[in-house]
Amino acid sequence: MDEMGLRHLAYLGDAVWELFVRERTILQTPNTGVLHKITTDKVKAGFQAKLLDELEPLLSDAEKEIARRGRNLPIPVARRANQGEYRLATAFETLIGWLYYYDKNRVESILQILENHIK
């Protein structure tokens, strides 16, 4: 973890998750406005928080620790209506970023598990 901090991992995880969602939703409609709505529904904090909750029993101790550390990152309080949801979403993004950076096979298996939630 020395090469990359948790915020960077969350940033990376956000991008990985959004690309994953876009790849799976791109052909659902020719209307870009509708497509944007479909995508944003899947990348918003509340949705990511639910996904993390579902993944929890499947995670290793190391993965749970990364998610816990991501959840505990300081957040800009004034901008967040639901801090708990935002913290869990940050934990999800940190986990995805960490797996993407350090274990491509594991991130692929996690994303496969989550694929049904995109359709």
Side-chain angles (χ1 to χ4, degrees):
M1 175 94 82
D2 295 338
E3 302 119 45
M4 191 174 302
L6 292 174
R7 287 199 183 281
H8 290 95
L9 291 171
Y11 181 78
L12 178 61
D14 178 54
V16 169
W17 178 248
E18 185 159 350
L19 180 59
F20 177 77
V21 169
R22 285 180 180 219
E23 286 176 339
R24 276 134 192 93
T25 59
I26 193 75
L27 298 177
Q28 288 185 11
T29 179
N31 182 315
T32 55
V34 172
L35 188 58
H36 177 72
K37 172 76 169 116
I38 292 168
T39 301
T40 56
D41 284 347
K42 305 297 184 198
V43 299
K44 66 184 178 183
F47 189 77
Q48 291 178 342
K50 289 177 188 172
L51 293 177
L52 182 64
D53 187 53
E54 183 175 315
L55 284 176
E56 181 81 27
L58 307 173
L59 299 178
S60 70
D61 288 343
E63 292 165 344
K64 287 177 185 176
E65 177 63 12
I66 290 298
R68 183 194 66 76
R69 291 178 60 205
R71 184 188 71 231
N72 290 332
L73 284 170
I75 61 170
V77 177
R79 292 183 24 206
R80 303 295 166 205
N82 188 333
Q83 290 181 33
E85 219 173 56
Y86 183 79
R87 286 183 182 281
L88 291 173
T90 303
F92 175 80
E93 292 169 349
T94 304
L95 174 66
I96 296 298
W98 184 74
L99 290 172
Y100 181 82
Y101 196 75
Y102 293 105
D103 191 345
K104 296 280 195 296
N105 290 329
R106 179 65 172 152
V107 78
E108 286 300 321
S109 69
I110 292 290
L111 292 175
Q112 269 186 330
I113 291 166
L114 300 175
E115 188 160 12
N116 290 332
H117 296 284
I118 304 305
K119 298 174 181 173

